């Protein structure tokens, strides 16, 4: 399940970038990208919890090695999804300063 949610999160993030670069409203895609990233992490945690409940410690050990990647990819997802907000803000400030 986490793989499916992860691909949806990537697709929503790419849609966010596309909509922003096309000058269209991107905020729904941004919210979807962040939401599916969170759902992906929840699904991964549920998977690990299920393995631990079955006392399949070798499976838990295999997954735990990816914790740094999960942190890095989550951080990247947040950064990429929120970046258009900061770019838009910067551009608005430039327009205000240019008009003054």
């Amino acid at each position: 399940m986490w793989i499916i949610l992860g691909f949806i999160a990537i697709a929503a993030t790419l849609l966010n970038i596309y909509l922003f670069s096309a000058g269209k409203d991107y905020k729904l895609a941004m919210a979807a990208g962040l939401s599916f990233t969170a759902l992906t992490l929840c699904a991964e945690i549920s998977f690990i919890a299920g393995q631990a409940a079955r006392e399949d410690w070798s499976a838990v050990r295999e997954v735990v090695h990816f914790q740094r990647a999960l942190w890095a990819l989550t951080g990247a997802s947040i950064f990429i999804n929120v970046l258009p907000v900061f770019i838009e803000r910067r551009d608005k400030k430039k327009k205000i300063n240019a008009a003054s």
Side-chain angles (χ1 to χ4, degrees):
M1 180 59 109
W2 63 270
I3 293 175
I4 295 167
L5 292 170
F7 281 125
I8 294 171
I10 291 169
T13 300
L14 293 174
L15 180 64
N16 176 21
I17 294 168
Y18 168 74
L19 290 173
F20 175 74
S21 64
K24 298 181 180 181
D25 187 21
Y26 60 89
K27 292 188 172 118
L28 181 61
M30 176 180 67
L34 292 172
S35 298
F36 279 105
T37 298
L39 290 172
T40 301
L41 292 173
C42 289
E44 181 66 19
I45 290 169
S46 294
F47 173 75
I48 294 170
Q51 297 298 332
R54 287 188 288 281
E55 296 184 6
D56 188 358
W57 303 117
S58 62
V60 172
R61 269 187 250 120
E62 287 178 17
V63 175
V64 170
H65 291 293
F66 294 109
Q67 69 178 330
R68 288 187 184 144
L70 287 174
W71 278 102
L73 293 173
T74 301
S77 175
I78 293 168
F79 177 76
I80 292 169
N81 277 294
V82 176
L83 186 62
V85 173
F86 293 118
I87 292 172
E88 188 175 66
R89 229 182 218 179
R90 183 193 66 195
D91 291 345
K92 283 183 183 178
K93 284 184 181 179
K94 282 184 181 179
K95 286 181 185 178
I96 291 171
N97 290 338
S100 300

